Amino acid sequence: MARIIVVTSGKGGVGKTTTSASIAMGLAKKGHKTAVIDFDVGLRNLDLIMGCERRVVYDFVNVINGEATLNQALIKDKRCNQLFILPASQTRDKDALTQEGVGKILDELAKDFKYIICDSPAGIERGANLAMYFADDAFVVTNPEISSVRDSDRMLGILASKSRRAENNEEAIKEYLLLSRYSPERVSLGEMLSVEDIQDILSLHLLGVIPEAKSVLNASNSGTPVILDKESTAGQAYEDIVARYLGEDRPHRFINEEKKGLFGKLFRSK
């Protein structure tokens, strides 16, 4: 039975697409057949981060409208044969996504895939609502700032009340917290909320903390999910997150400020 994961947030620019790409790659690298879908119609970015933008012929909306089959639109990742990408349309309106159409695609994917990752747009517009509606699990991505956390709290209300599971009185969506762009040094200076502050507000199970790292931007620019960068602290954090989600017990890293010697201070996080 396929598990549908929505990667969501209330605020834009927190790292949802970076997270979707890395989580999808991590699950696929573990041997699980995985599909990742870009729900951000009109602002397609997932294909850029996955490095397959030149291979896009058909998209999500083409499949919904019957202009292409799902098999024609899915792009097989060149680095992992267990990973497939379904890009969004850049030329259609967000209203092109329909609940019936999205549901049919997810049902078809569920026959062949173990995990389906839905890369949600920010906020509460149509694409975001549809990405959340069918979810079994929600990865709520937030930055350690009050506006981002407040918006994420609002998304939790929507997840609890406007999902298929809520409508059918089924077990609630499982919600996990992913804290991105975290800097223990800035927390100690009072410039960011701490992990404890955020958990007090959201009361979510912490799946992982992704530190601020230049490697995230470098990976995005090169079309490579940062989880593949084994030297990167962000890549290591995403690898930990995938392992924890799959049930492995791993201690949390990148939460506390490291004591650095003279030479350590000369270098920043990768």
Side-chain angles (χ1 to χ4, degrees), residues 62-190:
N62 289 139
V63 181
I64 287 176
N65 291 342
E67 298 159 353
T69 66
L70 183 58
N71 190 58
Q72 286 177 298
L74 283 171
I75 300 171
K76 188 175 184 179
D77 188 85
K78 290 183 176 180
R79 295 152 298 205
C80 181
N81 61 11
Q82 295 281 48
L83 179 58
F84 292 77
I85 301 98
L86 182 57
S89 171
Q90 281 185 309
T91 59
R92 307 294 181 100
D93 187 84
K94 295 181 187 298
D95 289 336
L97 295 181
T98 65
Q99 185 168 306
E100 181 184 10
V102 171
K104 282 183 178 179
I105 289 176
L106 292 175
D107 286 344
E108 191 173 344
L109 287 169
K111 296 173 185 175
D112 198 33
F113 287 84
K114 176 69 174 174
Y115 293 103
I116 302 167
I117 314 297
C118 301
D119 179 26
S120 171
I124 54 174
E125 48 89 356
R126 187 170 186 79
N129 284 331
L130 286 172
M132 290 185 286
Y133 179 77
F134 295 96
D136 299 307
D137 299 326
F139 288 5
V140 180
V141 185
T142 188
N143 291 158
E145 57 184 60
I146 192 63
S147 61
S148 180
V149 175
R150 182 193 61 194
D151 289 347
S152 292
D153 200 21
R154 186 181 183 193
M155 299 309 292
L156 295 178
I158 295 172
L159 286 165
S161 60
K162 291 190 175 182
S163 69
R164 179 171 60 177
R165 285 175 169 267
E167 283 183 8
N168 296 335
N169 199 27
E170 297 174 354
E171 181 184 358
I173 294 172
K174 290 186 177 177
E175 300 162 343
Y176 301 91
L177 173 64
L178 274 69
L179 186 53
S180 61
R181 296 178 180 165
Y182 193 76
S183 168
E185 293 81 9
R186 293 183 65 188
V187 170
S188 67
L189 293 171

Side-chain angles (χ1 to χ4, degrees), residues 6-270:
V6 62
V7 179
T8 187
S9 75
K11 186 176 168 66
V14 299
K16 286 186 303 299
T17 301
T18 294
T19 295
S20 296
S22 284
I23 296 298
M25 180 62 77
L27 289 169
K29 284 287 189 182
K30 291 282 189 181
H32 304 291
K33 193 170 184 182
T34 302
V36 57
I37 307 173
D38 191 346
F39 274 77
D40 202 354
V41 174
L43 293 172
R44 189 173 78 201
N45 283 315
L46 179 65
D47 56 307
L48 291 170
I49 289 182
M50 297 299 298
C52 63
E53 69 276 8
R54 294 186 184 89
R55 298 168 61 201
V56 176
V57 178
Y58 296 110
D59 57 51
F60 197 6
V61 175
N62 289 139
V63 181
I64 287 176
N65 291 342
E67 298 159 353
T69 66
L70 183 58
N71 190 58
Q72 286 177 298
L74 283 171
I75 300 171
K76 188 175 184 179
D77 188 85
K78 290 183 176 180
R79 295 152 298 205
C80 181
N81 61 11
Q82 295 281 48
L83 179 58
F84 292 77
I85 301 98
L86 182 57
S89 171
Q90 281 185 309
T91 59
R92 307 294 181 100
D93 187 84
K94 295 181 187 298
D95 289 336
L97 295 181
T98 65
Q99 185 168 306
E100 181 184 10
V102 171
K104 282 183 178 179
I105 289 176
L106 292 175
D107 286 344
E108 191 173 344
L109 287 169
K111 296 173 185 175
D112 198 33
F113 287 84
K114 176 69 174 174
Y115 293 103
I116 302 167
I117 314 297
C118 301
D119 179 26
S120 171
I124 54 174
E125 48 89 356
R126 187 170 186 79
N129 284 331
L130 286 172
M132 290 185 286
Y133 179 77
F134 295 96
D136 299 307
D137 299 326
F139 288 5
V140 180
V141 185
T142 188
N143 291 158
E145 57 184 60
I146 192 63
S147 61
S148 180
V149 175
R150 182 193 61 194
D151 289 347
S152 292
D153 200 21
R154 186 181 183 193
M155 299 309 292
L156 295 178
I158 295 172
L159 286 165
S161 60
K162 291 190 175 182
S163 69
R164 179 171 60 177
R165 285 175 169 267
E167 283 183 8
N168 296 335
N169 199 27
E170 297 174 354
E171 181 184 358
I173 294 172
K174 290 186 177 177
E175 300 162 343
Y176 301 91
L177 173 64
L178 274 69
L179 186 53
S180 61
R181 296 178 180 165
Y182 193 76
S183 168
E185 293 81 9
R186 293 183 65 188
V187 170
S188 67
L189 293 171
E191 297 175 355
M192 283 183 173
L193 296 175
S194 69
V195 171
E196 293 77 14
D197 293 333
I198 295 165
Q199 285 186 297
D200 283 345
I201 298 169
L202 298 179
S203 299
L204 287 182
H205 174 73
L206 180 65
L207 200 56
V209 173
I210 302 106
E212 280 190 311
K214 292 179 180 178
S215 56
V216 173
L217 180 59
N218 294 339
S220 296
N221 288 338
S222 65
T224 304
V226 72
I227 195 171
L228 295 177
D229 184 354
K230 304 299 183 184
E231 301 300 316
S232 162
T233 53
Q236 294 166 25
Y238 279 118
E239 192 172 337
D240 287 348
I241 287 166
V242 171
R244 290 190 197 101
Y245 176 70
L246 293 175
E248 189 175 326
D249 185 16
R250 289 198 182 186
H252 285 281
R253 297 190 279 172
F254 315 116
I255 292 177
N256 299 314
E257 191 172 358
E258 289 185 13
K259 303 291 184 183
K260 294 183 178 179
L262 176 61
F263 291 102
K265 292 177 182 177
L266 299 176
F267 301 94
R268 295 191 175 190
S269 294
K270 290 185 177 181

